[in-house]
Amino acid sequence: ASPRRASRHAPELIANMSDAAKACTIRTKKFITNPLLGRRQFVVEVLHPGVAGIPKTEMREKLAKLYKVSDLNTIVLFGFKLAFGGGRSTGFGMIYDSTTVQKRFEPRHRLIKAGLGKAKEGARKQRKELKNRLKKLRGMALVKARKGSGN
């Protein structure tokens, strides 16, 4: 078989990953520049024979080096599935132009995971119970209860 030629849109990176000490290949496919959402989006294919999986932090570092990205927080990787038999994972990746654009378009749960958003405090049931308790109050009692709860 002839060697695979790496085009401008499908670069290939071979690197030694931390503890695994195994060679790992990261490929990007279906590379699209999306100017309306201020990002580049692509499918990420990781070949990692003999290793269970590669941490997203390490993949993010390698992609940053590959695409010359200065801020690692602008790279978002998600949806990785391991191929049957192991050794290959595929997922989705996006590189945003800036964190402000990322905060505008990225879903809240992924922003929280990346450390760019703030999660709601308290348990869900407690928040609902507090809401229902506040419904029964009026006037100054309601103002005091809200101030005390931090809501």
Side-chain angles (χ1 to χ4, degrees):
S2 64
R4 181 183 150 93
R5 282 191 300 151
S7 71
R8 180 172 71 100
H9 293 295
E12 198 171 296
L13 180 68
I14 299 173
N16 286 330
M17 295 295 180
S18 65
D19 297 336
K22 300 279 185 179
C24 166
T25 308
I26 297 177
R27 278 193 199 122
T28 56
K29 303 188 300 187
K30 300 182 182 179
F31 193 95
I32 297 170
T33 303
N34 191 336
L36 290 175
L37 297 179
R39 68 187 185 199
R40 294 171 274 175
Q41 53 196 50
F42 45 86
V43 173
V44 181
E45 187 177 75
V46 186
L47 299 172
H48 47 87
V51 183
I54 305 299
K56 286 183 188 148
T57 53
E58 292 183 8
M59 283 194 276
R60 196 176 290 129
E61 289 169 8
K62 302 303 174 190
L63 286 169
K65 195 181 295 180
L66 191 64
Y67 288 107
K68 297 172 184 70
V69 178
S70 58
D71 188 8
L72 287 177
N73 286 332
T74 59
I75 300 174
V76 181
L77 301 171
F78 61 94
F80 278 85
K81 297 276 188 273
L82 190 67
F84 180 73
R88 193 178 80 226
S89 302
T90 53
F92 199 74
M94 295 182 283
I95 301 173
Y96 282 93
D97 296 341
S98 66
T99 50
T100 53
V101 175
Q102 183 179 3
K103 284 179 184 175
R104 190 181 329 156
F105 294 117
E106 197 66 10
R108 209 169 135 261
H109 70 279
R110 283 206 295 256
L111 287 174
I112 291 167
K113 197 169 185 180
L116 297 172
K118 188 178 168 215
K120 291 181 181 175
E121 294 193 15
R124 186 168 189 256
K125 186 168 186 175
Q126 288 175 334
R127 288 197 311 264
K128 287 178 173 292
E129 287 173 353
L130 176 66
K131 174 195 61 122
N132 289 326
R133 274 199 306 274
L134 291 176
K135 277 199 229 173
K136 296 171 188 168
L137 300 175
R138 293 179 62 186
M140 288 308 291
L142 177 64
V143 172
K144 286 180 187 175
R146 275 201 183 132
K147 194 178 286 185
S149 69
N151 199 4

